[in-house]
Amino acid sequence: MIPHHPFLSGLLLRILKFFAALLCLVAILGQPVFASSTQRPIPPAAKWVEAEFIGVDRVKVDDYIYTLSAGTQIRDQNNLIVPFSHVRGKFDVRVLFDINGQMHRIWLMTPEEIAEAKAKAKKWWHLF
């Protein structure tokens, strides 16, 4: 049996329940906002290139055609893994190569990431 305490009865209990429900609602609805404001975990070793996806497992960078490794992961601008058969056209990407020279991990860059990469490149060249 739960002891009755006048402090936790009536109006105060209703107010506490309301604020608990409000806190849960803010936590649930605020999650996508907080998730979208974080940066994607792209390794610093990933190279920034303009790539053209031209075939089932072929990607053209400059005048060289790369093949995709067997376990290639392509992540779109929302950081979701997409099949390489659904990616066509030219994109600014960050890419990691495996030891065989094949593309192993690819991130399609967002406009914000492209602007940030250009700003970093501009800062770097101004050092000389």
Side-chain angles (χ1 to χ4, degrees):
M1 181 171 174
I2 299 174
H4 176 72
H5 194 282
F7 183 72
L8 294 177
S9 62
L11 182 61
L12 186 60
L13 187 57
R14 289 182 185 155
I15 292 171
L16 289 175
K17 285 182 182 178
F18 172 76
F19 280 113
L22 185 64
L23 182 63
C24 290
L25 184 65
V26 168
I28 291 170
L29 295 178
Q31 185 177 6
V33 172
F34 296 127
S36 65
S37 66
T38 60
Q39 291 184 343
R40 295 195 286 175
I42 300 175
K47 295 181 180 180
W48 172 32
V49 297
E50 184 178 299
E52 181 179 3
F53 293 82
I54 57 174
V56 176
D57 63 345
R58 306 272 187 241
V59 179
K60 185 177 179 182
V61 176
D62 295 329
D63 290 330
Y64 189 79
I65 297 178
Y66 292 94
T67 57
L68 302 178
S69 68
T72 298
Q73 279 188 1
I74 300 176
R75 293 194 176 262
D76 67 0
Q77 290 87 350
N78 297 318
N79 210 32
L80 300 174
I81 297 174
V82 294
F84 55 81
S85 59
H86 291 144
V87 182
R88 292 284 180 262
K90 287 186 178 184
F91 295 95
D92 283 320
V93 300
R94 299 275 305 268
V95 62
L96 284 176
F97 294 92
D98 65 4
I99 59 173
N100 298 321
Q102 297 176 325
M103 291 186 167
H104 187 60
R105 297 283 185 265
I106 301 171
W107 292 267
L108 305 179
M109 296 174 66
T110 63
E112 293 83 18
E113 290 170 337
I114 294 169
E116 182 181 329
K118 286 181 180 179
K120 283 183 182 178
K122 187 177 180 181
K123 274 186 183 178
W124 187 79
W125 282 108
H126 284 261
L127 294 176
F128 297 102

